[in-house]
Amino acid sequence: MLAYILRRLLYAIPILIGVNLLTFALFFVVNTPDDMARLQLGAKHVTPEAIARWKVEHGYDKPLLLNAQATGSARFTDTIFFRHSASMFAFKFGKGDDGRDIANEIRTRMGPSLAIALPVFVIGLMANITFALLMVFFRSTYLDLWGVVLCVVLMSISGLFYIIAGQYFIAKLWNLLPISGYAGGIDGFKFILLPVLVSVAAGLGSGARWYRTIFLEEIGKDYVRTARAKGLSEARVLFRHVLKNGMIPILTGAVVVLPLLFMGSLITESFFGIPGLGSYTIDAIQAQDFAVVRAMVFLGSFLYIAGLILTDISYSWVDPRVRLQ
Amino acid sequence: MVRIGAILSKLGLLAIGLSLLAGCTDNWNNPYPGSDARANVLYSAFSERPKHLDPARSYSSNEVEFTGQIYEPPLQYHFLKRPYTLIPLTAEAVPRPWYVDAAGKTLADDAPSSAIAESVYEIRIHPGIRYQPHPAFARDEAGRYFYHAMDAAAVGGKTRISDFRHTGTRELVAADYVYQIKRLANPRLSSPIFGLMSEHIVGLKALGDALEKASRAHPDAELNLNDFPLAGAEVVDRYTYRIHIKGKYPQFIYWLAMPFFAPVPWEADVFYAQPGMADRNLTLDWQPVGTGPYYLSENDPNRRMVLKKNPYYHGETYPVDGDAADRQAGLLADAGKPLPFVDEAVFSLEKETIPYWSKFLQGYYDSSGISSDSFDQAIQFSSGGAPQLTDSMRGKDIHLITTVAASIWYVGFNMLDPVVGGLGEDRRKLRQAISIAFDYDEFISIFLNGRGIPAQGPIPPGLFGYVDGVAGLNPYVYENRGGRIVRRSIEVAKQLLAEAGYPNGRNARTGAPLVLYFDTMASGPDAKSRLDWMKKQLDKLNVQLVVRGTDYNRFQDKMRKGNAQLFEWGWNADYPDPENFFFLLYGPNRKVASGGENAANYDNPEFNRLFERMKDMDNGPERQRVIDAMLDIVRRDAPWIFAYYPKSFGLTHGWVHNVKPNLMANNTLKYRRIDPGLRATRRKEWNRPVLWPIVLLFAVLAAAIAPAVIAWRRHERKVA
Amino acid sequence: MSLGAFKVLPVILWTDALIFALLAAVLALVWFIRRQPHLRAPWAAVARRPMAMGAALVLAVFVTIGLLDSLHYRERLSDSPPDRPQYSVEVLSAFDALVGKLRTQQEKTYSAPLAMQLYAKEFIERGGATVRAYPRLKYGGAQLKQADARVPDLVRRVILGLAQGLAASLLLFGLLAAWQTRHRGMAFGEWLSVWGTGRLGWPGRTVVLTLALMLMLGTATFHLAAAYHVFGTDKVGQDVLYIALKSIRTGLVIGTLTTLVTLPLAIVLGIAAGYFRGWVDDVIQYAYTVLNSIPGVLLIAASVLIVQVAIEAHPELFDTAAARADIRLLALCLIMGVTSWTGLARLLRGESLKLRTLDYVEAARAFGVSHARIISRHIFPNVFHLVLISIVLDFSGLVLAEAVLSYVGVGVDPSMYSWGNMINGARLELAREPVVWWQLGAAFAFMFTLVLAANLFADGVRDAFDPRTGGRR
């Protein structure tokens, strides 16, 4: 098991290098270091000297990938790509192009991101399962039919509308919750409520419908019929057996996103003014802050790979037939 | 099922209990939990986090909003007087320069510019001004600094300035001002005005070179600016310093009112240079140290920035001289009272317009800020009259404050372009025709809700050289119809277009339609409508417009290379002098080749000659005559479509007092007064939670589920 | 090239060409499927589902509008000499020509749905004096003399429209009935009762009712739109109904062309990875893990920038605003395709891994049958249903994604009609007082209808092709 995890982590290195190269290529195809300097220095009174100084200061004065003037290994190491990427593998992110320390920023923004993403994940899972169970429980009545229709309707609404409607009605018209903002600690409760509510509602349609099919599949299996034949009540069958066994595919499927919860949600965070990592990424993309984008992509892919490993582990855990090798 | 029901009802009770807990102390939607509703705190917002708060680096308006309250340059603008007037802030008087020739001999004030080798400004500051409390000044009994020789371990646990136990202060001295001028030349700070100032301040360029060399030689060592001399800035005595300016540069006085020339104590640089500080964002760029009425007590640009009253503030009183209109507006009610009024100002990050606007309406922001796009929506515009608040706004006791900004928006023609550029008569007529077709009066009414004035030339109102009313109209685009300024008819434009060689929008020789290209980096929510509007304007002349949307970098690149044809651009005044607008059209400032700010690449020798004369002149009838001549040239040549002078615009609630937009001054927070009691009452009244939707939701849910539950029960019973 | 009689110059944008290529491919596929009974069976099952058929009808309407909107041309300028024709730089479509006035009747600024006045008061001259009032619209309700005549006029138009729609659908129903009774040799009454109880073997009730509903809605809208702005007007006075209709094409292009990019990548790479295993599998897995772990927004933002650089480098290739917007749309489809092939590829890889171990595939390999032949004969036909299901499922997701991307600012060109741009514009409108809701409302209504129809259709297809799993999301 340990050896497996270690090997997977080693596999991650070429992937991370690839991710880094791709990000790097995408960025510098369109932006020269001069462009980046100009963007950071602003529009008024920018002199060529200031641009040259900015590039030296931020380490963009070297060749991009290959330093023809250097000798030996310095041909590859004395370049923008190497100098900026190598330190990432030690999780040293350096400073953003705006001069702020990235690691520091990540530390302070992780909390707010998790404060939204974790409740969304947990409550969302619970709400989806509850809704799905309700439909399965009443599976031959009008409730199931209309429940599925409701699911499809909910799925067909763009996520933006949920946010706009939530802010407009709940916060603006009915004065129930603050429309946006964030505070740490217990005060943060009422800021988190609206984004969590909206995100859960936005995911309810597709989630509940998917879980419903999982439960229905489970309900058709032999052991359920046996249980029923033993005279167990329908509710008992549902909660004792179907829910328990249905949870296995649901949870193993959900594990992959667990590490990514740190990264937060891009859209929700910008809309609700949550100072998390999602809005950090979006801001960096819009401001073309390469240092931050690179760090966030690196972190994101690292967490994604961690999620894949976790998934494998959880599979082998619930199903002993799957062996990690 | 029973169990689910029990859990659900428990959850519901919990939710209700929690919300009641929140509700009994506060409004449910109050975005400032735990704050005292009656505290004398001003609430405002910022939409983009400031990049720099170092006075040598910060330039954009969203940064100056903070630095202006914290740092005190020697001069400031009078809060109420118009036209904008400079008055002393920390200085004892507004300095008047004296001139010396190349031999060092003092010249008379009216000496010709050519004879003047240097202008000398002597500034004497008030004694007894002290800095805000800051650990950089903290000393023990023996006079040793607590925090000037820390190692990384000692810095270790500190993440905020408030983590340092000891603080201290120090009296402001003239040397601090000189120190800051030297900082402008520090290559590691890359001050945006270094290039400009090194052309004016004696010896600044040499200092920059020396520092550059020292920085290269010891890349890891800190530069101690006190070791490097600056010829153009000298300390005369503890409270007096002199600045030497090359030749004559009358506009320099305005720079003395900007944070670039505010004092910076050397202790701050020493303090922040210690190892480990920069890794924790403890730098002067983020944690300012000033003498102003406020200091930055909380700096979390991801969420909020808090300014608190400086306990050591030297004191200033509310201005007593204002005109009748100010008195009527109640702006003189506090005359003579000590500043500042507000104890604390909280700025929250607010990127999206819908939350921003809603919170303002709910009373959680006191004023709308100056130039935020969303807030013009409360305004009804009427083509004839002034912008007015909608009835619902007025019902809430919200006030509208407008003033014409010292800025201009224009559509530039690239004068190097083969189709629209050049100074030939036909090209000139083509540009004039297009200028008439772009009906900016309509633009202002649709897109700005009246928040602008159609521009008649490059100089906005409120500046010297601007002529009000019909006397100042642009005769090539407008005409005087019974004392009203009216845009010339589209027929005139068609005529001009025909004379330019494009009758009915066709090339007279080839018959090809005239196609123009408009480059823009517009991408906001409004972009599509604006671009459609542009096309609609040229449709009137049967000229076709192709919009080329692009991003910031590409746009800048095009401008530098001169590949654009038509483009939209604006300029905000740095200081209230016409030179700051005319230099945008001065030939040697061309963007192509010389990289200046003349984006249209306009180069008219006659205009250039007049500009060189005008810039050194003192305001007066003589200067006005030169300006009039220059105006006539640019209006005839029409290198720009003078679009509009934007009106800056603010909405404030009834509990906010002493708001008068001042586009030049950036330290107006100290004048602001609020009535927290009134605010608390209104907030309570406006934010009563509406509960019926929740009740309705539960009712609908129950109604949907109940029949099924009943049916199921019956079924169970039957089975059993 | 010019069609002299119509005085137009046809313009074929990149996306137009691809759309029609796609249409041809779909038609060819339909023709192929009709001749293969084992492929026809599941489609016949789809056709028997009322929900799916109703949704398909709605989709057909959308597709028709989208196709009409893909026939682009440039109008000849009215006074251009006949020997040297000159054309407008504005690119129009057959759809524009059909709706005619809807496009050209522009008001000054906002007006509410079905209003006859602007949404904001202005000073207007009335009887010599200036008064502050709501000015009348130039086109909306212009035929009315008095304000109180508006409601009766609206009612009259709605009733007229509904009546015409009803009449038309009755006529169609009659024709259908005539054909069916002839075809089946039934009496009319007998057929009617069979139809009424839903025993036709195809969902006749749903089809007829959906058609009737759409016809009535269409004719009522037509009569209203002739004199009013049904969904009001936007900031520059453009009819919002027109904008929403024009946005259909953008949504369809993104939903379909992206799939066009996804499919070859996903099918080739997915099957190759599963079938060949070994280093091929490693390389492909590596590629999709790398792609998957980079946030999609970043890839899309970067590629949109790259396209802009390309446009700036070759301005002569993109001489009209439409061409510039079009290439950006295409780039968006391309990059979204590149980022979204991974899901399907993984699925296909897993399936191929299983299939290659089946006896007959192993046997074929043992006999030395070429890989290409094995894949095309044995593997591909057995995973085809997965491909199909994923196409229909992805469509609605892509339409929704466009809105989010445009909102973030990396979507389609800001000058393009799209629901995302409409929602983006609504950001400012919702902050107005009183609120301007109709642009958001129209975008919501159209998007919702399209995506709902697509989802319902997808459900039908999935159930018919893959009754075992039901849901895969």
Side-chain angles (χ1 to χ4, degrees):
Chain A
M1 182 80 151
L2 202 69
Y4 171 80
I5 295 175
L6 256 174
R7 207 153 41 98
R8 284 295 299 260
L9 280 176
L10 279 181
Y11 274 148
I13 291 175
I15 291 176
L16 288 175
I17 292 176
V19 166
N20 244 322
L21 254 173
L22 194 60
T23 323
F24 186 82
L26 283 175
F27 231 88
F28 284 99
V29 163
V30 287
N31 288 326
T32 61
D34 283 41
D35 288 335
M36 293 165 66
R38 264 190 215 99
L39 202 65
Q40 291 298 325
L41 289 172
K44 278 183 172 182
H45 311 301
V46 179
T47 55
E49 295 84 52
I51 290 171
R53 255 198 313 272
W54 187 91
K55 288 197 290 186
V56 176
E57 199 183 331
H58 290 84
Y60 292 116
D61 53 333
K62 298 274 187 287
L64 290 177
L65 271 175
L66 191 73
N67 192 345
Q69 269 137 35
T71 50
S73 64
R75 283 173 85 94
F76 298 99
T77 56
D78 202 19
T79 57
I80 296 183
F81 177 69
F82 188 83
R83 287 173 49 150
H84 282 85
S85 301
S87 56
M88 295 258 243
F89 286 89
F91 289 95
K92 285 202 177 106
F93 298 121
K95 278 183 189 302
D97 291 341
D98 63 352
R100 282 179 76 95
D101 189 65
I102 296 175
N104 208 336
E105 201 82 353
I106 291 175
R107 265 196 301 279
T108 53
R109 282 171 175 270
M110 220 156 66
S113 274
L114 272 183
I116 304 288
L118 209 59
V120 170
F121 178 74
V122 174
I123 298 177
L125 208 60
M126 278 169 23
N128 292 349
I129 290 173
T130 312
F131 192 17
L133 274 181
L134 266 178
M135 284 190 285
V136 171
F137 191 79
F138 294 110
R139 65 185 165 283
S140 47
T141 69
Y142 68 98
L143 263 189
D144 183 33
L145 178 69
W146 286 107
V148 174
V149 171
L150 183 68
C151 280
V152 179
V153 167
L154 286 177
M155 274 168 70
S156 306
I157 299 174
S158 164
L160 293 175
F161 285 109
Y162 286 101
I163 299 179
I164 293 174
Q167 284 191 332
Y168 190 78
F169 290 106
I170 297 180
K172 191 180 173 193
L173 228 49
W174 300 331
N175 300 322
L176 294 174
L177 291 166
I179 189 158
S180 74
Y182 182 79
I186 194 77
D187 287 337
F189 176 72
K190 60 182 185 175
F191 291 106
I192 292 170
L193 214 53
L194 185 59
V196 169
L197 215 66
V198 164
S199 310
V200 169
L204 191 61
S206 54
R209 204 169 71 131
W210 180 32
Y211 295 164
R212 172 181 167 271
T213 51
I214 290 180
F215 290 138
L216 279 181
E217 216 172 299
E218 207 64 35
I219 232 167
K221 287 191 178 159
D222 287 344
Y223 73 94
V224 177
R225 253 175 259 148
T226 320
R228 237 186 249 133
K230 278 198 304 189
L232 286 180
S233 80
E234 182 69 23
R236 237 184 143 72
V237 170
L238 209 56
F239 285 103
R240 273 285 159 79
H241 299 285
V242 175
L243 178 60
K244 207 173 126 199
N245 287 301
M247 284 306 277
I248 291 172
I250 290 175
L251 283 184
T252 44
V255 160
V256 69
V257 301
L258 263 179
L260 283 171
L261 292 182
F262 281 99
M263 302 295 287
S265 150
L266 304 182
I267 301 287
T268 317
E269 285 185 9
S270 342
F271 253 105
F272 289 98
I274 311 288
L277 288 175
S279 54
Y280 190 44
T281 315
I282 279 277
D283 288 353
I285 290 174
Q286 276 168 357
Q288 302 190 5
D289 189 329
F290 176 58
V292 176
V293 168
R294 188 188 50 211
M296 295 312 292
V297 170
F298 183 86
L299 197 65
S301 44
F302 181 79
L303 292 173
Y304 175 73
I305 293 167
L308 291 181
I309 299 176
L310 271 182
T311 311
D312 285 352
I313 294 171
S314 65
Y315 268 125
S316 79
W317 187 52
V318 295
D319 189 350
R321 279 172 305 173
V322 178
R323 282 184 43 210
L324 301 180
Q325 42 187 302
Chain B
M1 193 62 220
V2 180
R3 236 188 314 159
I4 296 190
I7 292 170
L8 275 181
S9 63
K10 265 184 210 158
L11 275 178
L13 277 179
L14 187 72
I16 292 168
L18 276 173
S19 40
L20 279 181
L21 202 70
C24 60
T25 53
D26 228 342
N27 292 323
W28 290 14
N29 59 359
N30 184 2
Y32 313 112
S35 62
D36 178 6
R38 288 175 192 274
N40 189 10
V41 178
L42 186 97
Y43 291 101
S44 189
F46 62 104
S47 61
E48 202 184 327
R49 53 188 229 170
K51 280 183 183 164
H52 303 291
L53 296 176
D54 184 330
R57 307 186 73 172
S58 82
Y59 201 168
S60 52
S61 54
N62 66 329
E63 296 159 5
V64 173
E65 198 173 338
F66 297 101
T67 54
Q69 324 306 329
I70 298 164
Y71 287 104
E72 286 188 312
L75 306 179
Q76 65 178 336
Y77 288 92
H78 193 282
F79 180 47
L80 300 173
K81 276 190 196 160
R82 301 289 181 279
Y84 295 108
T85 314
L86 282 174
I87 57 167
L89 180 56
T90 61
E92 288 192 332
V94 177
R96 279 195 62 81
W98 69 77
Y99 305 115
V100 288
D101 64 11
K105 200 156 57 82
T106 306
L107 297 169
D109 278 357
D110 56 354
S113 303
S114 52
I116 298 174
E118 270 183 24
S119 320
V120 184
Y121 290 77
E122 182 174 290
I123 298 147
R124 199 176 155 71
I125 55 166
H126 286 289
I129 296 173
R130 286 184 299 166
Y131 281 100
Q132 66 172 75
H134 195 274
F137 301 118
R139 291 204 259 189
D140 59 14
E141 275 103 54
R144 283 185 306 254
Y145 288 100
F146 271 116
Y147 304 114
H148 277 204
M150 296 164 68
D151 50 16
V155 179
K158 317 273 199 266
T159 54
R160 288 167 303 177
I161 289 294
S162 52
D163 291 340
F164 294 89
R165 201 156 59 84
H166 303 279
T167 60
T169 185
R170 170 167 75 72
E171 192 189 19
L172 172 69
V173 293
D176 296 337
Y177 283 97
V178 173
Y179 185 78
Q180 163 70 358
I181 297 172
K182 287 184 186 169
R183 291 181 82 242
L184 296 180
N186 188 344
R188 292 186 187 163
L189 294 177
S190 50
S191 170
I193 64 161
F194 171 63
L196 184 73
M197 281 302 139
S198 59
E199 289 166 24
H200 293 298
I201 298 178
V202 175
L204 197 66
K205 181 131 192 67
L207 176 65
D209 293 341
L211 289 171
E212 179 88 58
K213 207 188 281 168
S215 176
R216 287 254 168 81
H218 307 283
D220 298 320
E222 275 302 312
L223 297 171
N224 187 353
L225 296 178
N226 286 330
D227 298 343
F228 295 85
L230 172 59
E234 50 174 323
V235 179
V236 179
D237 62 35
R238 188 172 166 83
Y239 301 113
T240 316
Y241 67 105
R242 277 186 204 144
I243 303 173
H244 297 258
I245 296 294
K246 292 178 200 164
K248 192 177 173 183
Y249 181 43
Q251 288 80 23
F252 181 69
I253 196 90
Y254 299 113
W255 287 100
L256 290 176
M258 291 190 218
F260 291 116
F261 287 87
V264 167
W266 61 269
E267 291 95 331
D269 266 348
V270 171
F271 175 77
Y272 287 123
Q274 297 174 93
M277 288 280 189
D279 294 342
R280 291 172 178 74
N281 290 332
L282 294 173
T283 63
L284 196 60
D285 213 16
W286 289 105
Q287 313 286 349
V289 188
T291 60
Y294 295 96
Y295 71 94
L296 191 63
S297 77
E298 193 183 325
N299 182 359
D300 180 1
N302 303 332
R303 195 161 80 77
R304 60 180 213 161
M305 319 256 293
V306 179
L307 291 175
K308 274 208 173 107
K309 210 166 166 173
N310 174 5
Y312 300 138
Y313 186 52
H314 54 85
E316 200 188 343
T317 53
Y318 194 87
V320 290
D321 35 357
D323 58 20
D326 294 334
R327 187 170 301 280
Q328 208 184 353
L331 286 168
L332 284 170
D334 291 321
K337 290 190 185 155
L339 299 177
F341 293 115
V342 177
D343 293 336
E344 195 180 319
V346 176
F347 296 81
S348 311
L349 179 66
E350 202 70 82
K351 281 188 236 161
E352 291 286 329
T353 50
I354 299 173
Y356 194 0
W357 173 242
S358 306
K359 280 188 195 167
F360 173 70
L361 284 186
Q362 291 170 336
Y364 294 122
Y365 289 133
D366 294 324
S367 47
S368 72
I370 294 296
S371 59
S372 167
D373 258 351
S374 63
F375 286 85
D376 53 85
Q377 319 294 2
I379 310 302
Q380 287 178 338
F381 174 68
S382 38
S383 49
Q388 268 185 321
L389 282 177
T390 54
D391 295 341
S392 66
M393 296 289 114
R394 267 178 287 179
K396 283 191 145 185
D397 192 20
I398 289 171
H399 298 267
L400 166 68
I401 290 143
T402 59
T403 188
V404 185
S407 29
I408 183 171
W409 277 99
Y410 61 88
V411 173
F413 294 100
N414 178 10
M415 295 299 278
L416 303 176
D417 184 83
V419 179
V420 298
L423 291 173
E425 189 59 33
D426 53 339
R427 306 291 170 77
R428 199 176 277 156
K429 283 190 169 150
L430 172 64
R431 290 191 297 268
Q432 287 170 2
I434 296 170
S435 298
I436 296 174
F438 271 93
D439 186 354
Y440 269 98
D441 306 58
E442 185 188 272
F443 182 92
I444 292 166
S445 104
I446 294 178
F447 292 99
L448 305 172
N449 286 319
R451 291 187 313 136
I453 297 180
Q456 305 292 333
I459 304 179
L463 262 63
F464 183 82
Y466 175 78
V467 182
D468 199 27
V470 286
L473 67 75
N474 175 359
Y476 300 94
V477 178
Y478 288 92
E479 58 190 338
N480 177 358
R481 211 178 282 165
R484 282 196 306 151
I485 300 177
V486 182
R487 183 169 286 270
R488 286 180 180 273
S489 75
I490 200 71
E491 300 311 320
V492 178
K494 283 183 179 160
Q495 181 60 33
L496 282 167
L497 192 66
E499 289 168 23
Y502 297 97
N504 197 20
R506 298 299 172 67
N507 189 322
R509 276 184 298 110
T510 64
L514 176 58
V515 181
L516 296 179
Y517 295 90
F518 180 76
D519 285 284
T520 174
M521 45 182 177
S523 67
D526 234 7
K528 173 150 176 44
S529 329
R530 284 180 193 238
L531 300 179
D532 284 348
W533 181 85
M534 292 268 173
K535 279 187 230 158
K536 222 165 111 181
Q537 301 311 304
L538 283 184
D539 272 352
K540 292 189 285 197
L541 287 182
N542 215 7
V543 172
Q544 323 221 5
L545 185 74
V546 175
V547 175
R548 300 193 286 209
T550 183
D551 69 312
Y552 181 86
N553 284 333
R554 239 50 58 201
F555 183 74
Q556 295 286 336
D557 199 46
K558 279 189 139 180
M559 298 309 297
R560 269 199 313 281
K561 290 188 182 136
N563 289 339
Q565 195 172 55
L566 268 77
F567 57 91
E568 197 178 27
W569 203 297
W571 183 258
N572 258 322
D574 291 313
Y575 42 79
D577 191 274
E579 181 264 354
N580 197 234
F581 284 88
F582 277 133
F583 94 109
L584 300 172
L585 290 162
Y586 179 50
N589 279 342
R590 279 195 318 266
K591 191 131 224 155
V592 175
S594 49
E597 299 288 352
N598 180 353
N601 302 305
Y602 176 63
D603 192 3
N604 182 323
E606 175 64 10
F607 181 87
N608 295 346
R609 199 181 55 75
L610 287 171
F611 175 80
E612 281 151 28
R613 229 179 106 204
M614 184 278 303
K615 74 181 167 70
D616 292 340
M617 291 167 84
D618 293 318
N619 286 350
E622 176 72 13
R623 197 178 194 207
Q624 183 70 51
R625 264 196 298 284
V626 179
I627 288 174
D628 287 345
M630 292 170 76
L631 281 177
D632 190 59
I633 295 173
V634 286
R635 282 167 178 168
R636 194 185 62 233
D637 284 346
W640 294 357
I641 299 171
F642 305 106
Y644 57 93
Y645 312 120
K647 269 185 186 165
S648 99
F649 167 106
L651 293 172
T652 58
H653 283 293
W655 57 78
V656 185
H657 301 281
N658 301 336
V659 184
K660 177 168 180 175
N662 186 322
L663 282 318
M664 289 299 142
N666 43 44
N667 57 355
T668 52
L669 181 62
K670 59 186 176 188
Y671 304 108
R672 202 68 44 91
R673 181 168 60 79
I674 55 164
D675 179 350
L678 182 64
R679 176 171 66 191
T681 330
R682 294 257 168 90
R683 276 190 189 171
K684 204 137 220 131
E685 184 186 321
W686 291 343
N687 293 298
R688 293 219 178 88
V690 182
L691 288 176
W692 62 260
I694 299 182
V695 177
L696 186 73
L697 180 75
F698 278 104
V700 167
L701 271 182
I705 298 179
V709 173
I710 293 167
W712 173 73
R713 280 261 169 87
R714 203 177 297 144
H715 171 80
E716 283 285 273
R717 232 172 273 140
K718 223 186 287 170
V719 173
Chain C
M1 251 307 252
S2 90
L3 307 174
F6 296 106
K7 302 198 165 163
V8 294
L9 173 76
V11 174
I12 299 172
L13 299 174
W14 274 99
T15 50
D16 295 343
L18 288 170
I19 280 188
F20 285 105
L22 190 67
L23 185 69
V26 168
L27 290 179
L29 200 67
V30 167
W31 181 75
F32 177 73
I33 287 172
R34 278 180 65 89
R35 292 159 35 118
Q36 308 271 331
H38 71 282
L39 291 176
R40 254 172 73 180
W43 282 110
V46 175
R48 276 194 297 274
R49 288 168 177 270
M51 279 284 210
M53 279 317 280
L57 278 175
V58 176
L59 281 179
V61 172
F62 275 84
V63 169
T64 313
I65 294 175
L67 286 178
L68 279 175
D69 205 8
S70 302
L71 294 165
H72 286 106
Y73 64 90
R74 280 161 69 176
E75 239 169 15
R76 182 190 284 195
L77 293 169
S78 54
D79 52 350
S80 74
D83 52 328
R84 261 193 329 225
Q86 302 286 348
Y87 296 95
S88 159
V89 289
E90 195 177 11
V91 175
L92 298 176
S93 72
F95 175 76
D96 292 320
L98 273 181
V99 298
K101 285 191 300 182
L102 210 54
R103 179 174 70 87
T104 50
Q105 291 191 341
Q106 282 205 13
E107 306 292 347
K108 185 177 171 196
T109 178
Y110 288 116
S111 69
L114 303 174
M116 55 187 287
Q117 287 157 333
L118 275 184
Y119 199 53
K121 278 185 180 170
E122 277 188 8
F123 283 97
I124 39 177
E125 308 251 339
R126 194 178 282 167
T130 40
V131 283
R132 222 174 119 69
Y134 295 106
R136 285 287 295 265
L137 295 179
K138 237 192 289 177
Y139 303 102
Q143 81 285 9
L144 302 175
K145 293 260 182 317
Q146 267 143 1
D148 50 6
R150 188 175 70 103
V151 176
D153 186 55
L154 287 176
V155 172
R156 192 182 59 81
R157 282 170 189 275
V158 171
I159 291 175
L160 183 69
L162 291 181
Q164 282 183 359
L166 197 62
S169 23
L170 280 178
L171 186 70
L172 275 178
F173 183 59
L175 287 176
L176 178 77
W179 174 67
Q180 286 261 306
T181 45
R182 192 93 165 280
H183 185 71
R184 301 192 176 203
M186 285 180 183
F188 179 70
E190 193 187 346
W191 183 81
L192 203 61
S193 79
V194 171
W195 175 81
T197 48
R199 287 181 285 124
L200 275 182
W202 59 283
R205 270 189 307 180
T206 314
V207 167
V208 170
L209 286 180
T210 314
L211 262 179
L213 213 66
M214 287 197 300
L215 267 173
M216 278 154 65
L217 204 66
T219 43
T221 313
F222 175 79
H223 281 286
L224 285 174
Y228 298 93
H229 301 287
V230 177
F231 277 107
T233 55
D234 73 350
K235 197 163 194 167
V236 285
Q238 176 93 272
D239 190 290
V240 173
L241 177 65
Y242 174 75
I243 299 176
L245 286 171
K246 288 287 276 186
S247 304
I248 290 176
R249 176 177 183 269
T250 313
L252 289 177
V253 165
I254 291 202
T256 53
L257 289 194
T258 306
T259 320
L260 204 61
V261 180
T262 314
L263 282 189
L265 279 174
I267 294 175
V268 171
L269 296 179
I271 294 181
Y275 179 78
F276 293 110
R277 308 213 313 204
W279 67 269
V280 179
D281 190 20
D282 285 342
V283 169
I284 292 168
Q285 278 208 65
Y286 174 77
Y288 71 56
T289 316
V290 167
L291 268 180
N292 252 1
S293 53
I294 298 180
V297 178
L298 176 73
L299 285 171
I300 291 164
S303 72
V304 165
L305 280 177
I306 291 172
V307 170
Q308 269 173 359
V309 174
I311 293 176
E312 295 309 333
H314 308 282
E316 71 284 351
L317 288 179
F318 311 103
D319 51 345
T320 59
R324 298 168 71 93
D326 182 74
I327 202 76
R328 183 162 165 181
L329 178 66
L330 185 64
L332 195 65
C333 293
L334 274 175
I335 192 69
M336 280 169 75
V338 169
T339 52
S340 60
W341 61 270
T342 52
L344 179 59
R346 254 168 102 153
L347 211 62
L348 293 182
R349 172 180 169 270
E351 207 65 17
S352 314
L353 268 177
K354 265 188 255 165
L355 287 173
R356 79 189 293 276
T357 58
L358 292 183
D359 293 343
Y360 63 92
V361 179
E362 302 231 311
R365 251 192 323 204
F367 282 115
V369 181
S370 76
H371 290 312
R373 208 174 159 76
I374 294 178
I375 289 176
S376 62
R377 274 294 162 90
H378 300 303
I379 310 275
F380 181 69
N382 282 310
V383 297
F384 182 71
H385 67 281
L386 291 177
V387 175
L388 196 77
I389 291 167
S390 118
I391 294 176
V392 285
L393 278 179
D394 285 350
F395 174 81
S396 51
L398 289 167
V399 174
L400 293 177
E402 185 272 326
V404 175
L405 289 177
S406 298
Y407 193 91
V408 178
V410 295
V412 297
D413 194 82
S415 70
M416 189 146 207
Y417 294 107
S418 90
W419 292 317
N421 278 341
M422 286 172 81
I423 299 172
N424 198 6
R427 271 207 268 196
L428 295 184
E429 293 171 353
L430 282 183
R432 287 182 88 95
E433 198 77 30
V435 71
V436 171
W437 52 268
W438 44 89
Q439 186 145 220
L440 185 72
F444 174 77
F446 275 79
M447 223 165 121
F448 178 66
T449 313
L450 176 63
V451 175
L452 185 64
N455 275 335
L456 291 175
F457 185 69
D459 268 9
V461 171
R462 192 188 49 201
D463 290 351
F465 279 85
D466 195 8
R468 180 172 45 88
T469 51
R472 185 189 310 279
R473 270 201 167 220

